[in-house]
Amino acid sequence: ILSQKILSKFIWLIFLKEETDIKEFFRNVNISFDCEFLVAQREDGHFVLTEVYRISATLPLETYRFGTWSSTTGLDCSRIGLYRRRNNLGGLVLPTAVTMYFIGRGRDFPSMNFGGRFFAALNFNGKWNGILGMMQRGEVNFSCINFLMTPARLDIVDFLTPISVVRTSLNIRDEKNVRIKWTEFFRPFCLKLWIVEVSVMLLIVFCLLITHKIGRHNENGYEPEVYSFGEALFCTLA
């Protein structure tokens, strides 16, 4: 049994008898959506090439008449691209992981005929138990967040071709154009802060006066030298 990744890397061609029913033959075979698998059957002197695939492993087999081949006219096949031929997903619901903390119903995409069911998930923490872990375990098929492409992540998920290149930069103002004023040093001090500052300074001054008066009495009962308000304020400012 070949893996789906190996099937998708090559173009396959199988020959079946005319009476073989294609859908019955591939009843238990999952031909992935991105795999080019052609079935050739003889019909009226030429071979009919039928393209077969499944939108999902649980959905019925899809067929597309790709072209014909004969020894006289050669190959006459469709010129339409692979995904232009498979532009209808049959109402498939694609589990998609996003970094949102709710479970909601996805919007519809009428051009491709499919919808989305969104799941909340944690960010990657080094053990692949976030969105990448959900994709690795097969719980979701897609994620619409901007993952950075790394070799380790390429081992478990596939990345779409980048639609746009986004660059994040940090801009720092040139110091040559910065004019420093002396008032800049006082800008953090708002009116309330100045009021608290002055109040605390006055409280310290009065504490110094009181402690000096109480603690400087000598044993003989003589009063200490006068400790003025100005001296207390000078010590506080110092």
Side-chain angles (χ1 to χ4, degrees):
I1 300 176
L2 297 176
S3 64
Q4 296 300 322
K5 287 188 176 182
I6 296 178
L7 284 174
S8 303
K9 290 182 178 180
F10 305 97
I11 299 177
W12 302 84
L13 176 63
I14 185 174
F15 290 86
L16 296 180
K17 296 181 180 179
E18 301 178 23
E19 62 273 11
T20 303
D21 182 60
I22 295 178
K23 293 188 176 181
E24 181 65 23
F25 184 84
F26 290 97
R27 182 177 58 179
N28 298 322
V29 180
N30 179 25
I31 307 298
S32 61
F33 183 78
D34 58 346
C35 176
E36 294 186 77
F37 202 105
L38 299 175
V39 177
Q41 289 180 298
R42 183 180 293 275
E43 180 182 302
D44 298 331
H46 62 272
F47 285 95
V48 176
L49 301 177
T50 304
E51 190 176 54
V52 295
Y53 63 94
R54 292 184 188 271
I55 298 174
S56 175
T58 58
L59 294 180
L61 185 74
E62 301 287 337
T63 59
Y64 178 83
R65 188 181 177 92
F66 182 75
T68 59
W69 181 88
S70 66
S71 58
T72 57
T73 61
L75 179 63
D76 181 17
C77 63
S78 174
R79 303 298 180 181
I80 303 175
L82 175 64
Y83 294 109
R84 292 285 300 275
R85 300 194 301 268
R86 305 179 184 184
N87 60 356
N88 191 337
L89 297 182
L92 175 67
V93 176
L94 301 174
T96 305
V98 295
T99 54
M100 295 186 295
Y101 294 95
F102 65 90
I103 299 177
R105 184 178 180 181
R107 55 167 294 188
D108 294 330
F109 301 88
S111 61
M112 291 288 289
N113 190 19
F114 77 98
R117 187 171 67 251
F118 296 93
F119 294 86
L122 297 176
N123 290 325
F124 169 63
N125 65 354
K127 296 183 180 179
W128 306 120
N129 64 343
I131 292 178
L132 292 175
M134 297 173 67
M135 298 178 69
Q136 185 181 30
R137 294 188 298 270
E139 299 174 4
V140 296
N141 299 118
F142 295 95
S143 177
C144 54
I145 69 173
N146 52 344
F147 274 124
L148 181 66
M149 185 184 298
T150 62
R153 289 172 177 169
L154 285 172
D155 292 337
I156 62 170
V157 296
D158 294 324
F159 288 83
L160 297 176
T161 302
I163 301 176
S164 61
V165 178
V166 180
R167 178 179 297 176
T168 302
S169 60
L170 176 65
N171 298 319
I172 302 176
R173 185 172 55 180
D174 189 2
E175 295 182 357
K176 296 180 180 179
N177 299 326
V178 179
R179 295 181 179 179
I180 301 177
K181 300 179 180 179
W182 289 104
T183 56
E184 297 292 332
F185 297 100
F186 298 99
R187 180 172 293 183
F189 293 89
C190 60
L191 179 60
K192 293 182 179 181
L193 185 58
W194 277 113
I195 294 174
V196 173
E197 182 76 17
V198 174
S199 300
V200 171
M201 291 173 63
L202 293 176
L203 179 61
I204 295 175
V205 169
F206 285 109
C207 289
L208 288 175
L209 292 174
I210 294 173
T211 54
H212 178 79
K213 185 176 181 180
I214 296 176
R216 294 294 298 274
H217 285 284
N218 54 28
E219 298 179 356
N220 299 323
Y222 295 104
E223 290 291 336
E225 297 180 357
V226 178
Y227 189 61
S228 65
F229 178 83
E231 292 176 332
L233 179 61
F234 179 78
C235 293
T236 302
L237 292 175

